[in-house]
Amino acid sequence: MKERLQSLKEEALNQIPNIESEKALQDLRVKYLGKKGQITEVLKGMGKLSPEERPVIGQLANDVRDVITTAIEEKASELDQIALQKQLEKEAIDITLPGRPVQLGGPHLLMKVIRDIEDLFISMGYTVAEGPEVETDYYNFEALNLPKGHPARDMQDSFYITEDLLMRTHTSPVQARTMLEHEGKGPVKIICPGKVYRRDNDDATHSHQFTQIEGLYIDENVRMSDLKGTLNVLAKHLFGEDRDIRLRPSFFPFTEPSVEMDISCKVCNGEGCSVCKQSGWIEILGAGMVHPNVLEMAGFDSKKYTGFAFGMGPERIAMLKYGIEDIRHFYTNDIRFLKQFHRA
Amino acid sequence: MNLSVNWLKQYIDLTDITTAELAEMITKSGVEVEQIHPKILDDDKIVVGYVKTCEQHPNADKLSLCQVDVGDEVLQIVCGAPNVKEGQYVVVAKPGAKLPGNFKIKKTKLRGEASEGMICSLDELGFDEKYIHDDYKDGIFYFQEEVSIGEPACPLLNLNDEIIELDVTANRSDCLSYYGLAYEVAAIFNKEINLPNPEVFINHGHSKDYISVKIEDEEANPYYSAWVIKDVHIKPSPLWLQNRLISAGIRPINNVVDITNYILLEYGQPLHAFDYDRLGSKKIVTRPAKKGETIKTLDGVERKLAEDHLVITNGENAHAIAGVMGGEESEVRDDTTTIILEAAYFNPRTVRKTSKDHGLRSESSARFEKGIDMLRVKEAATRAAQLLSELANGKVLGEIVEAGETKWNPNAVTFTHNEINQKIGTTISVNEMKSIIERLRFDYEEKDGQFTVMPPSRRQDIEIKEDMEEEIARLYGYDHIPFTLPEGEFNRGGLNKNQQLVRKIHHYLQSAGLNETISYSLTTAEKSVAFVSPDVKQLNPKPVKLSMPMSDLHSHLRLSAIPEMLQSVQHNVARNQHNVSIYELGSVYINQEEEMSSLPKEQLRLSAAMTGLVLEHPWQGENKQVDFYTIKGILEGLLNYLEIDIELEQGELDGLHPGRTALIKLNDEAVGFIGQIHPNVQKDYDLNDTYIFDLNLEKVLNHYEQNDTYRKIPKYPAIQQDLAFVVDTKIKAKELEKAILKQGQPYLQSVHVFDIYEGEHMEDGKKSIAFHLLFQDENKTLTDDEVEKARANIVNYLEETYEAVLRG
């Protein structure tokens, strides 16, 4: 019997490694370990054994059973692994196929520029002021030291609706309105973005509607050097720390002294190229110290208060920054244009 | 204004200053330089030559063989010009010379004859064709005045000049003349100035016998003088004068006209010369034009005058539009012998208005309208008379006939040295300030840092202390002003509540896949009243039209952004960009007055338009077309985000699909609309199915309340039930949803439609609608009985109220 059990064990252990399916393994289990299996069959002859031999053979039978069971379990686990492996292989996908897209929209480039400037000045303690796009002649011109018949009114030929009402030609009337709201008490620190309108035929460099963003700072003892410092912060924020600025005298009726600010040309680094018309400098904005007439008209004592104002065109800034060649792109709303500026 | 460096040298010594430095300093000190036009030609090998002999070329009909004396040698030159002649003083480019276009002159042989250089035409020398006199158009140039053989020719023709093109701002009319520019440059570089000191011999009879002058409107014409000059000989101006005009971009005509133009440039004083014999009377009367009066101006245009235009008349008819342009009738011509030279001061506003009305900006009006130097009218006229006698043999008659007067009574400008430094942020010393004011050549007094400045008549822009701040700062140098930041008290900046909310709305819409657009506020008359939301319409808005639009495309203010946005959609679709999702946040302009006299109400609205695919994932077969529910979902999402309850109510609106349109209602008040564009309108705009909404954002923002409260997560399980009913197709889902929610209280937390079915297996006019219901109690686990009771309530109510049949 002993030999029989030993040979069953060897027979089973020899067969197990060759088994390839769950089913065959199950059949083998039944064949050797089942209730009617071969080991049970052998043990049926236990009765013929001497009492001394019985426990020995019993023990042996149990050992053989355990060995075979273990081998079967190991094999089962191996087969599971193989099956899983096969399944995983079958489930493999082409990870290079495109994912389900998330439709993300985005801001208009001009709004992006405006927000950027708003946020910079908010960080310096400014608030954002807004005002009407249809204005009275008074706020658009007179309150800004541009009386009727003033030659500088030509600089901004306007769309009038009636003799007294017009599409604002700049965002400066918001400054006049905000100053009045302050009832002669400073400080006034505002940034005013918005749409403006001028009598121009739309072409690559002109648009009858465009945007502006202006800043105003009124307080006691505001100096021209403060304007210069503030504009320097702005220029570096917009165009990079490595840009230099220069101020040049200019003329605006609502400021005196008036300046224009240039930044050193990024293309040629100030050497002179076609972008900067060989000058090494690119004009960015107009600014100046608020004219005493403007202060007085808005109820501020010009002996006590001084201030500075500056204004720029987001279109120009965007065109310079991105090399956009045609101002009409901002108003055609071509999706291929709009989507280019949705990056974070 | 073109500034010729050669001309400027007449007044200022510029030997140690390069043109680039000059231009840079002019820009930095006050007048922007647009560009610098370089020298055309400056080559010593281009000289004056004398044509000693000129014979027919032995081998060529059209060529001449010339012996040309160029001073140190005689060159044989073959010349092809038909007008070359013996005895001419010509421009010779000697071998080694380089002409414009990199054209090198070499010794050569032409048809067998040696040619040692070239006799040049003006065109070959780089002259702009428009300035070439007819005499020289088809051949070589020759001097008609005395020149020396061998002398360099480029300076004689001013080809070695550099032109600085200036963009003079409206306040600096002084820089529209060499006189003013000489002062400016002298101030910048601290230089001496040599100005002309004109003198003229006046003693040729009594001008009063010839002319009288009368001013009818002294405000429009404070001063008028008429100089009578006899026996003028009209001929071309000398070369130097022609060169000056050409450098300014003015074409030389004849000596008289050229002299008036020269004075205009030198002094900034516009002058006009009338042909006395063609004036037709012995008087000049300046007066406002009469209604309906006309004049044919020098440019040949018949112009209609208005009562606020000033004209120069012979007592009857207009012979010039004051300060703008002369009349054709009394124009100076080749046979003119006696002229009346007008030197006057016209009111800037009158000239400005007149030139604007006629769309006629002349060199003359550009100066009058900004204000000329009123103390130098007479000096400028004297200089003109001097040149007329020197260059046109004119005899100037005595006793200038004049009327009115020029006054210059400036206010003294006072300031202290400290005030200026405080305002600019500098530490300029008193002496430095004094030296700056001296460089400007302003009369001033100073005591203990207290300054009193008397602005000169050429600087009418200096009126107040701030003007002097600018003068001192700009000559001190803006580059030398330090960088500082305001030292005022700290205050908190930021956005107000609505601004913050608007930014959040932008973020939401962009995250929802919409692209922000900016459209024109001005649109066509037709579009300005299209797609107007009922909440705007009920305000009964009247059109807002520009009084003088540039085009019909942008003549009226919009009442809705939708029409211009559809234009944008169309633009994209036409370029094969079929998937367009856009939104715009902007104003519409509501005017309720028939005769508009106050500002329209500007109302902030949110508009959106969507067309094409909302999801495109082709390899998985997921191409989802935008439909009503897509755009509605975005709108609902926004209002959920803002926690504002709106209702949609089926409605009809012009331009929208009648079965797919809804009014947006907030507290029973219309605040906008949503829907599909009407198929016919889609066709008009060349659009595919396009969905839009338009919302009164102002109303919505007013209803917003911040609500950042926390609700505990429920501890007890929720029970879900699905119910499906068969109902009439006309019954709206929202109505059933509301009914279910009400009947399911207190435990029903939410109800959602999850399936709709119509068609096969369904009776005509019926639909199946299925809901997910979620029951929950915050305080305990619900029992089956409680849920069953709620469910029965709901089913009973729907059966009774809507004849709904519960599906098994």
Side-chain angles (χ1 to χ4, degrees):
Chain A
M1 269 181 93
K2 212 174 179 177
E3 290 75 34
R4 181 69 187 137
L5 283 172
Q6 285 295 356
S7 79
L8 275 178
K9 177 178 131 187
E10 265 152 48
E11 192 185 308
L13 292 182
N14 278 339
Q15 282 174 18
I16 288 170
N18 302 323
I19 284 174
E20 283 179 351
S21 76
E22 193 82 25
K23 170 88 172 57
L25 192 65
Q26 190 55 34
D27 290 348
L28 184 130
R29 177 194 296 273
V30 171
K31 183 175 164 196
Y32 291 97
L33 305 178
K35 279 179 183 161
K36 290 174 183 167
Q38 300 206 10
I39 292 179
T40 315
E41 212 51 48
V42 174
L43 290 179
K44 275 182 184 163
M46 284 274 272
K48 292 170 191 165
L49 295 177
S50 68
E52 293 79 25
E53 272 178 323
R54 265 182 217 166
V56 178
I57 293 299
Q59 183 60 44
L60 180 67
N62 280 341
D63 289 348
V64 169
R65 201 185 278 271
D66 285 349
V67 169
I68 295 173
T69 303
T70 306
I72 288 174
E73 276 169 7
E74 277 170 7
K75 185 68 190 178
S77 148
E78 187 190 321
L79 287 178
D80 275 355
Q81 278 303 321
I82 290 167
L84 180 64
Q85 203 57 45
K86 271 191 182 156
Q87 190 194 342
L88 291 179
E89 269 166 33
K90 223 169 100 188
E91 283 173 2
I93 54 167
D94 179 355
I95 51 84
T96 66
L97 280 167
R100 187 169 292 114
V102 172
Q103 297 291 341
L104 205 56
H108 191 281
L109 176 56
L110 293 176
M111 296 304 285
K112 213 169 152 171
V113 171
I114 288 171
R115 299 257 155 77
D116 183 32
I117 296 170
E118 280 178 359
D119 289 345
L120 172 70
F121 283 95
I122 285 171
S123 78
M124 296 195 275
Y126 288 62
T127 57
V128 177
E130 292 155 310
E133 293 167 35
V134 180
E135 261 299 359
T136 60
D137 188 88
Y138 178 79
Y139 282 112
N140 195 74
F141 288 126
E142 287 187 42
L144 300 166
N145 205 27
L146 276 150
K148 287 209 162 74
H150 194 289
R153 281 194 181 205
D154 275 356
M155 284 156 70
Q156 21 190 284
D157 220 345
S158 346
F159 283 126
Y160 275 91
I161 294 162
T162 68
E163 199 140 298
D164 186 48
L165 301 176
L166 72 160
M167 303 305 296
R168 68 177 176 194
T169 55
H170 44 193
T171 46
S172 313
V174 182
Q175 300 189 7
R177 285 174 179 274
T178 311
M179 282 160 75
L180 276 178
E181 282 166 17
H182 274 75
E183 296 180 330
K185 274 184 73 182
V188 180
K189 295 168 74 174
I190 52 165
I191 194 98
C192 324
K195 294 173 187 166
V196 301
Y197 307 82
R198 290 189 195 171
R199 282 185 69 84
D200 268 322
N201 278 315
D202 296 339
D203 62 26
T205 53
H206 297 86
S207 180
H208 76 276
Q209 174 182 324
F210 56 103
T211 59
Q212 258 194 357
I213 184 161
E214 296 195 333
L216 174 71
Y217 191 125
I218 292 172
D219 204 350
E220 293 175 37
N221 302 321
V222 177
R223 302 158 297 187
M224 197 168 164
S225 55
D226 298 335
L227 169 64
K228 193 173 169 184
T230 303
L231 293 181
N232 193 41
V233 170
L234 171 66
K236 296 203 153 139
H237 175 78
L238 286 176
F239 297 102
E241 288 296 325
D242 53 343
R243 292 302 96 204
D244 290 328
I245 71 159
R246 84 171 175 187
L247 301 187
R248 280 183 289 108
S250 187
F251 172 68
F252 307 108
F254 24 93
T255 49
E256 186 71 32
S258 298
V259 305
E260 271 171 356
M261 182 189 82
D262 299 337
I263 57 160
S264 54
C265 179
K266 195 156 196 160
V267 178
C268 61
N269 242 321
E271 296 292 314
C273 67
S274 64
V275 174
C276 57
K277 287 199 265 171
Q278 308 304 329
S279 70
W281 295 95
I282 290 179
E283 185 181 322
I284 298 296
L285 57 77
M289 302 304 288
V290 180
H291 197 287
N293 291 356
V294 173
L295 286 169
E296 295 287 343
M297 274 187 278
F300 278 79
D301 179 356
S302 66
K303 291 203 176 60
K304 185 174 170 196
Y305 285 104
T306 52
F308 61 73
F310 55 87
M312 71 207 101
E315 279 87 348
R316 178 164 177 77
I317 288 167
M319 288 171 94
L320 283 171
K321 256 180 118 156
Y322 296 95
I324 295 164
E325 76 295 356
D326 192 326
I327 197 171
R328 286 170 295 197
H329 285 317
F330 294 111
Y331 296 96
T332 316
N333 298 316
D334 192 305
I335 288 286
R336 293 164 296 180
F337 179 80
L338 297 176
K339 285 198 169 163
Q340 290 184 45
F341 308 104
H342 290 179
R343 291 167 227 122
Chain B
M1 174 83 185
N2 282 357
L3 172 62
S4 146
V5 175
N6 281 353
W7 190 348
L8 185 65
K9 283 178 184 161
Q10 195 173 311
Y11 314 108
I12 293 187
D13 177 14
L14 294 173
T15 39
D16 53 344
I17 301 165
T18 67
T19 300
E21 281 165 3
L22 178 64
E24 195 193 344
M25 286 308 288
I26 289 176
T27 281
K28 279 164 80 166
S29 311
V31 181
E32 191 179 353
V33 170
E34 288 268 289
Q35 63 181 120
I36 302 171
H37 300 278
K39 294 178 180 185
I40 296 170
L41 205 55
D42 192 11
D43 189 336
D44 287 348
K45 295 201 169 67
I46 299 167
V47 297
V48 175
Y50 175 70
V51 184
K52 290 176 75 170
T53 62
C54 177
E55 289 161 7
Q56 172 75 49
H57 190 291
N59 306 322
D61 284 354
K62 290 189 172 167
L63 297 180
S64 312
L65 196 58
C66 307
Q67 299 300 324
V68 186
D69 183 353
V70 292
D72 45 359
E73 57 187 321
V74 176
L75 302 173
Q76 171 168 296
I77 297 175
V78 175
C79 180
N83 64 340
V84 64
K85 284 193 184 77
E86 198 175 296
Q88 281 173 336
Y89 289 86
V90 295
V91 178
V92 176
K94 297 199 286 190
K98 215 190 260 177
L99 294 180
N102 208 14
F103 176 36
K104 284 182 202 139
I105 304 299
K106 282 181 247 165
K107 281 188 187 174
T108 177
K109 264 193 175 175
L110 285 168
R111 295 285 187 100
E113 291 294 336
S115 186
E116 302 167 302
M118 185 166 98
I119 302 176
C120 302
S121 70
L122 289 175
D123 183 47
E124 283 157 343
L125 291 167
F127 240 71
D128 190 329
E129 201 198 340
K130 68 183 168 199
Y131 301 124
I132 300 177
H133 192 273
D134 284 347
D135 290 354
Y136 311 123
K137 274 223 161 91
D138 299 315
I140 52 139
F141 170 77
Y142 50 93
F143 292 95
Q144 306 206 29
E145 50 204 76
E146 207 170 301
V147 283
S148 321
I149 296 170
E151 177 181 10
C154 294
L156 291 172
L157 292 164
N158 203 37
L159 296 168
N160 64 341
D161 200 2
E162 286 165 294
I163 310 290
I164 300 175
E165 202 179 313
L166 300 174
D167 184 9
V168 179
T169 50
N171 58 327
R172 293 299 304 273
S173 56
D174 59 305
C175 290
L176 292 174
S177 70
Y178 277 85
Y179 190 92
L181 283 167
Y183 273 100
E184 175 73 6
V185 173
I188 295 170
F189 292 98
N190 198 11
K191 292 267 183 189
E192 292 301 315
I193 317 176
N194 306 305
L195 288 171
N197 194 8
E199 275 175 36
V200 64
F201 178 69
I202 306 179
N203 194 8
H204 294 284
H206 295 289
S207 46
K208 288 208 166 67
D209 297 343
Y210 286 76
I211 201 80
S212 70
V213 171
K214 190 177 157 208
I215 293 171
E216 284 192 3
D217 182 346
E218 284 186 10
E219 203 195 319
N221 181 195
Y223 175 77
Y224 195 99
S225 66
W227 297 56
V228 182
I229 298 157
K230 277 200 314 184
D231 300 338
V232 294
H233 178 42
I234 306 288
K235 58 181 179 185
S237 301
L239 207 50
W240 70 264
L241 178 52
Q242 294 196 25
N243 287 340
R244 293 286 183 250
L245 296 186
I246 290 169
S247 75
I250 296 175
R251 197 165 59 87
I253 296 172
N254 60 46
N255 50 0
V256 173
V257 175
D258 292 355
I259 287 166
T260 61
N261 281 331
Y262 179 79
I263 299 302
L264 171 124
L265 295 168
E266 188 175 47
Y267 277 86
Q269 170 69 49
L271 301 170
H272 183 66
F274 296 96
D275 182 328
Y276 177 73
D277 297 315
R278 292 192 172 95
L279 190 62
S281 89
K282 286 191 162 195
K283 55 184 171 186
I284 280 181
V285 179
T286 78
R287 60 161 170 80
K290 291 172 188 152
K291 205 175 171 185
E293 192 170 2
T294 60
I295 179 173
K296 196 172 195 183
T297 41
L298 285 173
D299 51 6
V301 180
E302 186 85 22
R303 296 180 187 273
K304 229 181 171 170
L305 298 161
E307 283 157 305
D308 50 0
H309 303 160
L310 188 76
V311 286
I312 315 301
T313 72
N314 60 0
E316 297 284 328
N317 308 321
H319 276 259
I321 306 177
V324 180
M325 196 176 264
E328 200 179 63
E329 200 181 341
S330 49
E331 182 183 5
V332 171
R333 294 173 213 182
D334 289 348
D335 61 353
T336 298
T337 54
T338 304
I339 60 168
I340 303 286
L341 183 70
E342 163 197 294
Y345 183 85
F346 301 117
N347 185 316
R349 283 187 186 200
T350 308
V351 175
R352 197 175 107 83
K353 176 80 171 56
T354 311
S355 98
K356 207 175 172 192
D357 287 355
H358 290 288
L360 190 61
R361 277 195 94 242
S362 58
E363 293 281 350
S364 165
S365 70
R367 285 167 178 80
F368 274 125
E369 69 182 35
K370 287 177 184 134
I372 57 166
D373 185 343
M374 53 187 92
L375 290 192
R376 276 183 220 276
V377 179
K378 206 176 248 179
E379 184 183 324
T382 308
R383 173 92 166 123
Q386 178 192 2
L387 289 173
L388 283 165
S389 80
E390 284 170 18
L391 307 177
N393 313 318
K395 297 196 176 74
V396 183
L397 271 59
E399 290 302 301
I400 316 310
V401 184
E402 49 188 352
E405 56 179 337
T406 51
K407 280 177 268 183
W408 175 244
N409 301 316
N411 289 324
V413 179
T414 59
F415 53 87
T416 68
H417 143 264
N418 281 335
E419 275 174 343
I420 300 275
N421 277 325
Q422 165 54 36
K423 181 76 174 288
I424 307 174
T426 45
T427 51
I428 307 172
S429 69
V430 174
N431 279 339
E432 214 172 335
M433 267 185 210
K434 282 164 74 174
S435 113
I436 287 172
I437 299 168
E438 277 159 23
R439 276 155 63 189
L440 285 162
R441 291 168 170 80
F442 291 177
D443 290 338
Y444 78 101
E445 281 168 23
E446 183 272 328
K447 205 183 165 218
D448 303 332
Q450 170 81 45
F451 286 82
T452 304
V453 171
M454 293 305 292
S457 59
R458 65 174 184 280
R459 291 298 305 274
Q460 292 169 37
D461 58 313
I462 308 293
E463 292 173 316
I464 53 174
K465 187 181 83 190
E466 284 73 11
D467 297 322
M468 281 309 298
E469 282 167 13
E470 179 166 84
E471 291 303 303
I472 292 166
R474 73 186 182 90
L475 287 174
Y476 174 69
Y478 282 6
D479 286 353
H480 298 128
I481 297 174
F483 292 100
T484 61
L485 286 173
E487 288 166 0
E489 260 175 65
F490 173 80
N491 62 305
R492 199 164 61 108
L495 297 171
N496 66 29
K497 275 197 175 149
N498 269 2
Q499 289 165 345
Q500 288 175 30
L501 211 49
V502 162
R503 279 210 189 178
K504 287 179 183 171
I505 291 169
H506 278 290
H507 285 154
Y508 165 81
L509 292 164
Q510 290 163 15
S511 305
L514 299 184
N515 301 288
E516 185 182 14
T517 62
I518 301 178
S519 306
Y520 293 130
S521 312
L522 290 161
T523 184
T524 65
E526 194 187 341
K527 283 184 184 166
S528 73
V529 291
F531 296 102
V532 179
S533 177
D535 60 305
V536 174
K537 220 175 245 171
Q538 76 190 12
L539 299 172
N540 199 16
K542 307 285 186 294
V544 184
K545 184 181 184 299
L546 298 182
S547 64
M548 279 192 301
M550 300 278 281
S551 96
D552 289 343
L553 289 178
H554 309 294
S555 58
H556 286 68
L557 274 173
R558 70 185 184 190
L559 284 168
S560 162
I562 295 285
E564 286 287 326
M565 288 177 77
L566 292 181
Q567 190 76 47
S568 295
V569 175
Q570 194 258 327
H571 167 94
N572 281 293
V573 171
R575 283 156 188 79
N576 279 322
Q577 303 292 313
H578 293 289
N579 308 333
V580 182
S581 295
I582 54 176
Y583 81 95
E584 183 156 336
L585 228 146
S587 290
V588 302
Y589 311 82
I590 303 162
N591 158 46
Q592 294 174 289
E593 299 171 336
E594 204 69 61
E595 285 289 318
M596 207 175 158
S597 65
S598 53
L599 298 181
K601 160 138 189 54
E602 293 183 25
Q603 188 185 69
L604 184 64
R605 294 189 78 88
L606 165 62
S607 311
M610 297 179 81
T611 185
L613 298 174
V614 66
L615 174 67
E616 192 177 12
H617 198 215
W619 72 269
Q620 287 196 327
E622 292 180 328
N623 286 346
K624 193 169 171 357
Q625 204 77 32
V626 171
D627 62 12
F628 180 86
Y629 301 105
T630 312
I631 196 162
K632 183 183 171 189
I634 288 175
L635 175 69
E636 283 177 333
L638 172 66
L639 292 153
N640 285 339
Y641 179 57
L642 299 172
E643 284 202 287
I644 287 173
D645 283 330
I646 53 142
E647 297 264 339
L648 292 193
E649 185 183 293
Q650 187 95 27
E652 283 189 31
L653 268 172
D654 283 350
L656 283 125
H657 189 308
R660 296 182 176 180
T661 299
L663 302 185
I664 306 169
K665 291 202 151 181
L666 179 59
N667 293 349
D668 282 335
E669 195 190 349
V671 292
F673 66 91
I674 181 168
Q676 186 189 338
I677 307 284
H678 194 287
N680 289 341
V681 180
Q682 286 183 169
K683 224 179 275 169
D684 291 346
Y685 274 91
D686 270 330
L687 296 174
N688 306 320
D689 284 2
T690 302
Y691 297 85
I692 57 173
F693 72 73
D694 182 69
L695 181 66
N696 182 339
L697 204 59
E698 227 161 75
K699 277 261 161 65
V700 170
L701 294 180
N702 289 342
H703 275 78
Y704 172 79
E705 274 176 55
Q706 199 164 11
N707 181 15
D708 280 343
T709 51
Y710 166 69
R711 268 179 72 185
K712 277 187 186 161
I713 309 293
K715 269 193 246 170
Y716 304 98
I719 295 174
Q720 193 179 303
Q721 287 249 333
D722 290 348
L723 290 177
F725 296 94
V726 174
V727 291
D728 205 283
T729 46
K730 293 223 164 73
I731 293 173
K732 303 285 185 211
K734 186 79 190 177
E735 205 176 337
L736 295 177
E737 232 180 61
K738 277 189 188 168
I740 293 171
L741 198 61
K742 196 169 170 203
Q743 297 305 316
Q745 291 311 313
Y747 303 124
L748 182 60
Q749 299 296 324
S750 68
V751 49
H752 294 295
V753 176
F754 75 88
D755 187 49
I756 290 279
Y757 183 76
E758 271 177 83
E760 226 182 314
H761 308 305
M762 196 56 66
E763 204 181 314
D764 252 6
K766 297 280 181 190
K767 66 181 169 189
S768 162
I769 179 162
F771 300 93
H772 272 312
L773 282 68
L774 199 74
F775 295 94
Q776 192 164 42
D777 189 327
E778 278 179 33
N779 303 313
K780 63 176 196 297
T781 304
L782 284 178
T783 64
D784 289 348
D785 272 1
E786 285 164 328
V787 174
E788 185 45 45
K789 214 173 136 193
R791 183 189 136 101
N793 257 349
I794 293 166
V795 173
N796 286 341
Y797 183 81
L798 261 59
E799 282 173 351
E800 278 169 26
T801 317
Y802 300 103
E803 293 175 3
V805 177
L806 183 68
R807 300 186 82 195

